[in-house]
Amino acid sequence: MPASAAPAPPARSAPPAVRLSLWPGLLASLAVAVASMAAAQLLPGLSALVIAIVAGVLVANLTSLPAALAPGLQLSSKKLLRAGIVLLGLQVALGELLGLGAPMLLVVAGVVVIGILGTVALGRALGVEKGLTILVACGFSICGAAAVAAAAGVIDPEEEHEERTVTAIALVVLCGTLMIAAVPALAALLALPAETAGLWAGASIHEVAQVVAAGGALGGSALTLAVIVKLARVLMLAPVMAVLSLQQRREGAAEGKRPPLMPLFVLGFLAMVVLRTLVPLPGPMLETASLLQTALLAAAMFALGTGVRVRRLLQVGARPVALAAASTLLVASVALAGVLLAS
């Protein structure tokens, strides 16, 4: 009788794939954010967000990033970005904005609406790609890099077009920096009172840091008024993102995609505005929240920058630059006309 065959050894399952930790990329993003915040103190008119995204682009194109950073960088570019925008709402107190009066609030709404619609029309006329046009329109009309990033989170949630996000932010830096000098110079040429010039600066300049730089140059009460008007424009981030989300929802319905009616980070932003308005939060808490908000957004900007390749960025051409210049002129003109009518 033949001996029975020995039973075959049990098949070994394939070893589980190594899951890279999120911490290296997260810590790298936050470290660069802190360094960018420190550098921003030495460079008036440049925000930590801009410095961080430039650092990300430089690192990604001059060195080879370790693969271990990738998961954390991806998380930073999405989750930290949204968390930072939520905390941005704590800067906006509706009582301060209402103190501007109805005419000035209408000017702010007009700047944002006309700025966005006009820039979209200009982009179409210049033949600039639709996605980039929307990012430029939001960044130039609302609040610079933060608005660009928020709009990108709505129209490009999978971050398939990071180059256009960085392009829009680069244009914000270029045009907004020129406005730091242009607004005070033109205000002096037009013999505008300091208060009127401050209102114009807040209604026309792109980045909050750039508004602060211009307002400081104007002197007097101009800085305070400029910042309050700028924060009124920041508040417009919520309705604009809601409209963009509705548009994406309509366009995605044909493909079976149903984006949320309003992104959760926009609801969070509004909740923070309500909290700041209704609850007397202590100054140290607001300062801490402001620092944390800047750190989160700067970390997200760095992570976003690491996904950009300069060669592709340089292929953008002159049309987006022309769009940025035209959009800046449009927003500044509407803002000046509105401020003069409201004063």
Side-chain angles (χ1 to χ4, degrees):
M1 183 173 179
S4 58
R12 293 184 178 181
S13 58
V18 177
R19 182 172 181 176
L20 296 176
S21 171
L22 297 172
W23 286 111
L26 278 173
L27 292 175
S29 298
L30 291 171
V32 172
V34 171
S36 299
M37 292 168 68
Q41 300 298 316
L42 305 174
L43 300 169
L46 278 184
S47 69
L49 280 62
V50 170
I51 296 171
I53 199 168
V54 170
V57 173
L58 290 176
V59 168
N61 287 272
L62 297 178
T63 66
S64 179
L65 287 171
L69 297 180
L73 290 175
Q74 184 176 17
L75 182 70
S76 296
S77 67
K78 294 181 180 180
K79 303 298 184 182
L80 296 190
L81 171 65
R82 287 158 176 74
I85 291 173
V86 168
L87 288 179
L88 184 62
L90 285 176
Q91 292 190 18
V92 183
L94 294 180
E96 294 179 358
L97 305 189
L98 293 176
L100 292 171
M104 195 60 215
L105 292 176
L106 287 175
V107 170
V108 169
V111 166
V112 173
V113 173
I114 296 173
I116 290 176
L117 295 179
T119 301
V120 169
L122 289 167
R124 189 179 297 117
L126 289 169
V128 177
E129 188 261 331
K130 179 182 177 182
L132 178 57
T133 296
I134 291 174
L135 297 186
V136 169
C138 292
F140 284 44
S141 303
I142 306 174
C143 57
V148 170
V154 174
I155 69 172
D156 185 25
E158 300 303 321
E159 298 178 5
E160 297 175 353
H161 304 284
E162 290 181 338
E163 279 80 8
R164 69 186 183 192
T165 303
V166 177
T167 299
I169 292 175
L171 294 172
V172 163
V173 175
L174 173 64
C175 296
T177 301
L178 293 174
M179 288 287 283
I180 294 173
V183 167
L186 290 173
L189 186 64
L190 297 172
L192 297 179
E195 293 79 6
T196 302
L199 294 172
W200 183 31
S204 61
I205 300 177
H206 313 325
E207 280 274 324
V208 174
Q210 294 162 350
V211 169
V212 170
L218 290 166
S221 60
L223 175 59
T224 300
L225 290 172
V227 171
I228 294 174
V229 172
K230 185 60 182 177
L231 292 179
R233 288 170 69 193
V234 171
L235 184 60
M236 294 294 290
L237 187 68
V240 171
M241 293 307 106
V243 170
L244 280 181
S245 183
L246 286 172
Q247 183 180 12
Q248 290 296 110
R249 192 176 174 87
R250 284 198 303 268
E251 293 177 357
E255 304 174 6
K257 300 177 182 178
R258 301 290 287 179
L261 189 61
M262 182 177 284
L264 286 177
F265 72 88
V266 176
L267 292 175
F269 172 85
L270 288 174
M272 292 299 102
V273 172
V274 172
L275 177 65
R276 170 70 192 276
T277 301
L278 299 181
V279 179
L281 300 174
M285 180 181 292
L286 291 174
E287 291 175 7
T288 301
S290 178
L291 288 173
L292 180 58
Q293 166 242 311
T294 303
L296 291 172
L297 289 178
M301 291 296 106
F302 171 73
L304 184 65
T306 60
V308 174
R309 296 298 173 264
V310 170
R311 286 185 180 179
R312 294 176 61 181
L313 196 60
L314 293 176
Q315 296 172 359
V316 169
R319 292 183 181 183
V321 178
L323 173 63
S327 179
T328 298
L329 182 60
L330 171 66
V331 169
S333 300
V334 172
L336 179 58
V339 165
L340 292 176
L341 288 173
S343 299

